Amino acid sequence: MKVSDIFASMVFSDAVMRERLPKETYNAIQRTIRDGRSLDINAANVIANTMKDWAIEKGATHYTHWFQPMTGITAEKHDSFVSFSGDGRMIMEFSGKELVQGESDASSFPSGGLRSTFEARGYTAWDATSYAFIKDGVLCIPTAFCSYGGEALDKKTPLLRSMEALNRQTKRVLALFGNNASMVRPTVGPEQEYFLIDREVYEKRRDLIYTGRTLFGAKPPKGQDLDDHYFGSIKPRVQEFMTELDVELWKLGIYAKTEHNEAAPAQHELAPVFDTTNIAVDHNQITMELMQKIAKRHGMICLLHEKPFAGVNGSGKHNNWSLTTDAGTNLLEPGETPSENAQFLLFLAAVIKAVDDYQDLLRISVASAGNDHRLGAAEAPPAIVSMFLGDELTAILDAIVEGSAYDAREQELMRIGVHTLPKFPKDNTDRNRTSPFAFTGNKFEFRMLGSAASVSGANVVLNTAVAESLRQFADELEGCENFEDSLHSLIRRVISDHKRIIFNGNGYSEEWEAEAERRGLLNLRTTPDCLPYYLREKNIELFRTHKVFSETEIRSRYDILMENYSKIINIEALTMIDMVRRDILPAVSSYCAKLAESAMSKRTFIYANISADPGTQKRSVATYEEDTVIRMNTLTEEVYADTDKLYDVVASAHGISDVTGQAIAYKDSVLPLMEKIRRAVDELEEMTSPDFWPYPSYGEILFSIG
Ligand code: ADP
Ligand code: MG
């Protein structure tokens, strides 16, 4: 099988459109894709009809407006192409109106109060820049999802708006350099981490089933200590899964390029070739969905949770991000000529300023109950946002600020636009894995994202924040008298104002935490800690200026995110209570009874048989059983009491109506108690015979794929 034979075979791609659409319709859709012009109904009808015929040829019977509500997973409601003609015959129909806009009773999707149930209608509008595709016999039309009043109810609408804002401001800046690009798009390549475990083992753990992570589990004798899994040889069952996944992704035009084992046992990574951001986001959603589906076909479960196992590395996503013009120029590629270099440095300065000014929003964009377990846990970037530029680039920026010569041999004043920058060898730039935001030669890699979440949010912030830097730059430079001088002083000022965000050292170290505090950088450890920053005036202003979110939309999203955090911890706590009460305490009790019985019978036996022995008085009898029973009893009493307490604490947190207060209650009173219970239960697990323990152990889960 050749990749080229199947690649994008299930996509209504540019090639398919070019081949099947009449020329003027093809041109019309091109204009829509390129310039965002709306499509007239006649063209839409022709496209819809062609799309339907193509889909039916490929075996599809239904279509759906495929969208990404705030739940974070994709939603689809299938409609059949079938309708009935006046004489009762069945015909297959699909109109332009149905293609371009759908109406969906979506009252059950989170809207953060934006849409009350009495006006439950939500509208879906085709995102023509992301191609339609066929998945499981259904023609999927990538769409944005809005309320009756036009407020965004999904993760795509703000993303498209942020891309538009970035396009607008970037073009202004490029024009100053004489570049008349007609379109600039951000590009993204998200590297996706995940775990694969055996399905039978999974089904024995209600914590994994209900919460996606283990709430208990003693450390196995072997974890990731030997680092022998990273890039290790891939097991046959996993290989079969990866091969099938590749094929299915290729059919959908998703070019999965590299797949390898990750640091933890049973952990893997998939990296696609980068694409325009909205397409990359859609593709990442499809990838996650297919991973889960295909794993099941191989008797496995794909865990996308950020921290399925305590004490073992969690999973994240690396969001590789850059900016590309319609001519294919990567604006974050250091150039060959002085002018290209000046332009590169200006874009670099824009990103530095954006990351510093909007550290809080970047932190918020990756915040979730799951990711809180990971950030700052010496395996993932800390919760402090900083940037790694590498020594070489940092030295250049220092030289600009100091006004000193970068190259000692040259002994000349470093002047933007006058001197050529050295080529940055890529290898020098991306070796620091501890940095949350690293320059990697020709792109930035934002590494704080969690594995389960949509990558949309992080890109909305990144695009908008950089658009804001560029807006300010363009405002300043557009009317200036001497462009080179103004450019030089702007870059110099921006670097000097924002260089506190640059940190090339070890992001996992304690010294960095202290140093970051001295520098005045934010360290927002948890979701409830960071979310309130969303509502700061400067952040509302940012989104409002660039028409990415209205204040109402921000407030609704704030509510949804806070509520979501509380809901997740609520489910986790209830699952924990259920497991302790129904499985763990009974198991421990039986095992203790067995030990106690054994101690008694040993004693009876020994006293009956050897009492004549003068040494009996000193002989120790059943010490193992006794000590274990006593320790287990202490722990059992503790777990029993704490579980009752947890029940009460959860009930009172659940009763809090203010979303912020509620999330804080879950964080401050529910989570610490859950951790305490877990510690005691894990110790109990270490003492209990596996014959009695109700769940597969960490060892059995992590090494479940033979
Ligand atoms: P790593 O060393 O982190 O594994 P790779 O070189 O394998 O890095 O690239 C990681 C990801 O970066 C890939 O998904 C790749 O497509 C993406 N990438 C490369 N260039 C760009 C770019 N210009 N814009 C966005 N993503 C990019
Ligand atoms: Mg990477």
Side-chain angles (χ1 to χ4, degrees), residues 187-189 191 272-274 320 322 330 430 433 443 445:
T187 50
V188 161
E191 301 164 65
V273 172
F274 69 95
N320 294 275
S322 192
N330 178 353
D430 72 345
R433 294 278 158 185
K443 61 185 187 297
E445 190 169 340

Side-chain angles (χ1 to χ4, degrees), residues 154-431:
D154 67 348
K155 297 187 180 247
K156 184 184 273 267
T157 308
L159 182 68
L160 294 174
R161 292 176 184 163
S162 73
M163 289 168 67
E164 183 43 40
L166 187 54
N167 174 46
R168 205 179 306 130
Q169 303 303 336
T170 309
K171 285 197 308 197
R172 287 178 67 197
V173 167
L174 285 179
L176 296 167
F177 290 89
N179 181 337
N180 290 316
S182 60
M183 174 70 108
V184 180
R185 292 191 175 107
T187 50
V188 161
E191 301 164 65
Q192 173 78 46
E193 291 181 332
Y194 61 99
F195 280 85
L196 284 177
I197 62 169
D198 187 80
R199 188 173 178 167
E200 279 181 28
V201 166
Y202 167 86
E203 278 165 0
K204 291 185 183 137
R205 300 225 28 157
R206 289 202 297 291
D207 46 2
L208 284 175
I209 294 173
Y210 294 145
T211 74
R213 73 178 181 106
T214 53
L215 299 173
F216 304 105
K219 229 172 113 58
K222 179 182 169 176
Q224 61 193 67
D225 324 66
L226 296 177
D227 284 331
D228 53 355
H229 193 254
Y230 191 57
F231 280 44
S233 69
I234 298 174
K235 296 184 175 125
R237 206 164 145 200
V238 172
Q239 188 57 63
E240 283 163 26
F241 157 86
M242 286 181 176
T243 306
E244 189 178 338
L245 178 62
D246 276 347
V247 171
E248 292 304 317
L249 290 172
W250 289 337
K251 284 187 196 164
L252 294 176
I254 302 170
Y255 198 71
K257 202 182 62 161
T258 51
E259 273 160 84
H260 60 77
N261 289 353
E262 262 300 326
Q267 193 183 30
H268 309 277
E269 182 189 290
L270 179 146
V273 172
F274 69 95
D275 214 326
T276 306
T277 304
N278 62 321
I279 296 169
V281 171
D282 286 357
H283 283 180
N284 183 249
Q285 292 296 126
I286 299 173
T287 302
M288 290 194 288
E289 187 182 324
L290 284 181
M291 280 175 164
Q292 289 173 303
K293 206 176 276 173
I294 292 169
K296 283 193 184 146
R297 289 190 205 139
H298 295 263
M300 299 186 289
I301 293 291
C302 169
L303 300 176
L304 290 173
H305 194 282
E306 284 83 6
K307 191 75 181 174
F309 308 101
V312 174
N313 274 7
S315 301
K317 261 193 269 237
H318 289 176
N319 189 81
N320 294 275
W321 180 93
S322 192
L323 275 172
T324 307
T325 66
D326 51 348
T329 311
N330 178 353
L331 297 174
L332 293 179
E333 182 93 58
E336 305 275 352
T337 65
S339 151
E340 281 170 4
N341 279 321
Q343 186 186 301
F344 164 76
L345 285 172
L346 187 65
F347 281 105
L348 182 68
V351 180
I352 293 171
K353 175 172 161 55
V355 174
D356 188 27
D357 284 343
Y358 298 102
Q359 307 161 36
D360 47 359
L361 285 179
L362 286 167
R363 170 67 185 88
I364 289 164
S365 76
V366 300
S368 69
N371 217 16
D372 280 358
H373 296 290
R374 197 177 141 262
L375 294 178
E379 58 170 85
I384 309 162
V385 176
S386 70
M387 278 173 105
F388 170 85
L389 295 181
D391 293 339
E392 186 146 22
L393 201 46
T394 308
I396 292 169
L397 299 184
D398 284 346
I400 293 171
V401 172
E402 309 294 324
S404 62
Y406 163 66
D407 187 340
R409 280 162 303 158
E410 226 175 279
Q411 292 298 319
E412 273 182 74
L413 204 66
M414 173 82 188
R415 294 269 298 164
I416 308 299
V418 179
H419 289 267
T420 310
L421 290 174
K423 262 272 182 219
F424 312 114
K426 272 190 197 174
D427 279 352
N428 283 354
T429 53
D430 72 345
R431 289 305 126 208

